Amino acid sequence: MDLLPLFMNIRGASCLVIGGGEVAARKASLLLEAGAVITVVSPALCLGLQQWQDDGRIEHLKRGFSEQDLQNKTLVIAATDDHAVNERVSELARARNILVNVVDNPALCSFVMPSIIDRSPVQIAISTGGASPVLARLLRAKLESTIPAAYGRLAALVERFRTPVKKRFPTVNARRGFWESILQGKVAELVFAGKEQQAERILEQSIAVGDESTVGEVYLVGGGPGDPDLLTFRALRLMQQADVVLYDRLVSEEVLNLCRRDAERINVGKARDKHLVPQGEINQLLVKLAKEGKRVCRLKGGDPFVFGRGGEEIETLAAEGINFQVVPGITAALGTAAYAGIPLTHRDYSQAVTFVTGHMKNGSMDLNWPALAQTNQTVVFYMGLKGLPVICEQLMTHGLSAETPIALVQQATTPRQKSYTGTLATMPELISGKEIQPPTLIIVGEVVRLHDKLKWFQPSA
Ligand code: SAH
């Protein structure tokens, strides 16, 4: 180990920043956050530093560095673009046992500044010892995405209960076991979901009973349109935490693969005879699993509240008093629009967008056709492939021009994405005989004209 990681209490200590540019400002900003008293020496200041000086948050010496500036300083940062000055600062500071950092020059440093993930009071610092700041930054981005922003709030909650827990569990081992179950279980999840009062109540109960409650919970998670990169941080975290995953047909293989390896997976989109598991049975299964104490991830394609029947599933849970949370996902319309280069609204062509279901019942669709056939708007049809000829015909019958552009996009956001564009008059014929692979989405409106210019994602081209 070349460097010893430390977290330093610098509140009230005098620190010197040499240099007045953006880099100096970034370092000064960290020192300020940690409560240091800062003097900046530099002939000129960038806007940020100037603002802090105006606000009285830093002291400014408007000149070059001189040796006496080091007097009574605890820590020094040299951020000038003059190598000779930086070298001199380093030498003088070290001779006085003052901690010194020279930006971008590890050889001149007695300490380096790490990349930081701040979930105060939890802090994670990453250093490559100056070998590769970019690598440290990439690592940081990875960790940022998997450590919920509310970790700090969780730590603060736990801190408040340290004394009662110490009293309740006299041995270190018992305490450790207790905290492990709390920090990986329901209490933590409630804090992350913004239900802090409930978390506190359950924590109190758990301390009284001596264990965490064994009632499970359900996460209703939107898995997005297919590309796993479009999952939210929260979706990914809950997918990796759940003991059981109930998924349906729309959830892509790539997304499903991100669930915890040893989690039980139940496909409720397709039973052996290729029929869907009836909605009522899914609702009951969720209740049953949660009552067995399991953490259940109900993983749905797109967003759970957009043509996803997610509402019905959590109504049953609510009625049974089972804890749940809902994680939004990118709905097919938004994923398709982005990946096919078709903006859903546009200042010149479309002032509104409507999402409708094109699902056929007894050979027709029960839709408000006069409203859908207005110009200056975009209409997105979910589940519309079978009914495409009906959609085109009805829109024309109710007044839209036969020339109105229409797009049909298959398996949007996946490597199998494919787009077909035409007009209301030509589309049904254009795709007849083509092997279209569901799911597909239909977009109608002038905005479809932009597809040719804006298409950027063409995996099968
Ligand atoms: N809850 C989902 C929609 C469920 S309805 C969501 O928010 O996206 C199912 C319909 O969604 C499909 O028939 C299809 O029209 C559309 N769909 C879902 N994923 C899609 C994809 N990757 N590409 C195109 N259409 C998709």
Side-chain angles (χ1 to χ4, degrees):
M1 184 157 69
D2 290 333
L3 298 169
L4 176 70
L6 292 171
F7 289 85
M8 185 171 176
N9 181 354
I10 203 161
R11 200 156 291 277
S14 295
C15 298
L16 184 69
V17 175
I18 302 151
E22 303 289 343
V23 181
R26 275 205 300 278
K27 305 285 177 190
S29 146
L30 283 172
L31 292 175
L32 274 179
E33 268 182 61
V37 177
I38 301 178
T39 305
V40 177
V41 190
S42 173
L45 293 183
C46 67
L47 277 179
L49 285 170
Q50 187 61 55
Q51 186 65 51
W52 287 333
Q53 199 224 340
D54 294 346
D55 298 345
R57 299 185 67 194
I58 58 172
E59 184 196 7
H60 178 209
L61 304 177
K62 197 174 162 68
R63 54 167 171 76
F65 167 73
S66 97
E67 188 174 344
Q68 86 233 18
D69 297 335
L70 291 173
Q71 213 162 20
N72 297 326
K73 295 295 185 291
T74 304
L75 181 151
V76 181
I77 290 178
T80 78
D81 46 17
D82 184 333
H83 183 72
V85 172
N86 289 346
E87 208 162 20
R88 192 162 148 255
V89 171
S90 171
E91 214 171 281
L92 291 170
R94 282 168 187 248
R96 287 166 173 72
N97 285 328
I98 298 172
L99 292 168
V100 61
N101 176 275
V102 176
V103 172
D104 272 344
N105 194 335
L108 296 182
C109 294
S110 65
F111 73 96
V112 297
M113 303 275 271
S115 265
I116 301 167
I117 296 150
D118 189 5
R119 305 281 188 271
S120 285
V122 179
Q123 293 198 68
I124 301 169
I126 304 168
S127 162
T128 57
S132 170
V134 175
L135 185 61
R137 223 172 44 231
L138 293 178
L139 266 171
R140 184 187 141 201
K142 266 191 193 210
L143 291 172
E144 287 277 12
S145 66
T146 51
I147 299 172
Y151 244 76
R153 293 211 304 278
L154 178 62
L157 173 71
V158 163
E159 191 175 24
R160 290 205 298 280
F161 283 87
R162 278 188 65 166
T163 313
V165 168
K166 228 176 195 163
K167 279 203 189 118
R168 177 74 180 73
F169 304 98
T171 69
V172 174
N173 272 352
R175 279 203 293 278
R176 187 187 301 137
F178 176 78
W179 282 129
E180 272 174 7
S181 83
I182 291 294
L183 292 171
Q184 294 177 81
K186 190 143 98 198
V187 170
E189 211 42 65
L190 285 168
V191 173
F192 300 155
K195 303 182 190 175
E196 255 159 273
Q197 282 179 351
Q198 208 180 334
E200 190 158 339
R201 254 199 334 270
I202 292 185
L203 182 50
E204 275 166 358
Q205 281 167 14
S206 307
I207 295 171
V209 179
D211 193 10
E212 214 201 346
S213 145
T214 51
V215 180
E217 56 192 334
V218 176
Y219 318 131
L220 179 59
V221 174
D227 185 346
D229 247 19
L230 296 179
L231 283 170
T232 61
F233 297 152
R234 181 172 293 190
L236 181 61
R237 185 164 48 76
L238 295 177
M239 284 160 65
Q240 301 209 331
Q241 182 165 300
D243 306 304
V244 191
V245 182
L246 269 73
Y247 65 98
D248 42 44
R249 183 174 47 88
L250 271 182
V251 175
S252 76
E253 193 67 30
E254 293 91 333
V255 168
L256 196 60
N257 281 339
L258 293 173
C259 291
R260 213 175 82 197
R261 292 255 169 262
D262 59 343
E264 182 187 352
R265 294 181 188 185
I266 304 176
N267 182 351
V268 292
K270 210 190 281 169
R272 241 166 305 160
D273 58 358
K274 295 217 167 183
H275 284 304
L276 299 176
V277 176
Q279 189 63 50
E281 270 180 42
I282 298 178
N283 301 354
Q284 288 313 319
L285 186 56
L286 290 173
V287 170
K288 177 174 161 279
L289 290 165
K291 284 193 170 166
E292 286 170 9
K294 303 225 166 81
R295 289 170 297 181
V296 186
C297 175
R298 173 66 176 111
L299 185 57
K300 297 177 91 67
D303 181 273
F305 281 0
V306 179
F307 303 123
R309 305 188 73 171
E312 296 166 45
E313 297 182 6
I314 57 173
E315 261 177 59
T316 316
L317 297 171
E320 296 276 347
I322 287 167
N323 225 328
F324 62 84
Q325 57 174 298
V326 184
V327 183
I330 292 189
T331 188
L334 303 186
T336 305
Y339 277 54
I342 303 175
L344 293 176
T345 63
H346 190 286
R347 262 161 63 109
D348 301 330
Y349 311 120
S350 168
Q351 268 66 58
V353 55
T354 308
F355 299 167
V356 289
T357 162
H359 187 64
M360 302 255 273
K361 242 190 191 162
N362 307 325
S364 73
M365 279 165 237
D366 188 16
L367 292 172
N368 182 354
W369 292 109
L372 298 179
Q374 300 297 315
T375 53
N376 250 319
Q377 65 169 349
T378 308
V379 184
V380 181
F381 291 87
Y382 286 68
M383 298 169 272
L385 181 58
K386 268 210 192 98
L388 178 75
V390 178
I391 290 170
C392 292
E393 182 211 302
Q394 288 289 340
L395 288 174
M396 289 188 288
T397 306
H398 287 85
L400 271 191
S401 147
E403 301 304 312
T404 307
I406 173 170
L408 182 122
V409 184
Q410 90 170 28
Q411 303 200 2
T413 80
T414 76
R416 281 104 32 214
Q417 174 174 321
K418 212 165 180 176
S419 308
Y420 302 85
T421 53
T423 64
L424 291 180
T426 63
M427 198 57 164
E429 191 147 335
L430 201 136
I431 61 154
S432 86
K434 293 239 166 51
E435 254 191 54
I436 311 274
Q437 290 164 18
T440 60
L441 199 81
I442 295 165
I443 304 179
V444 179
E446 294 298 323
V447 285
V448 169
R449 291 190 200 283
L450 294 163
H451 166 74
D452 266 342
K453 206 168 19 166
L454 303 184
K455 61 185 174 201
W456 57 272
F457 179 73
Q458 294 174 286
S460 50

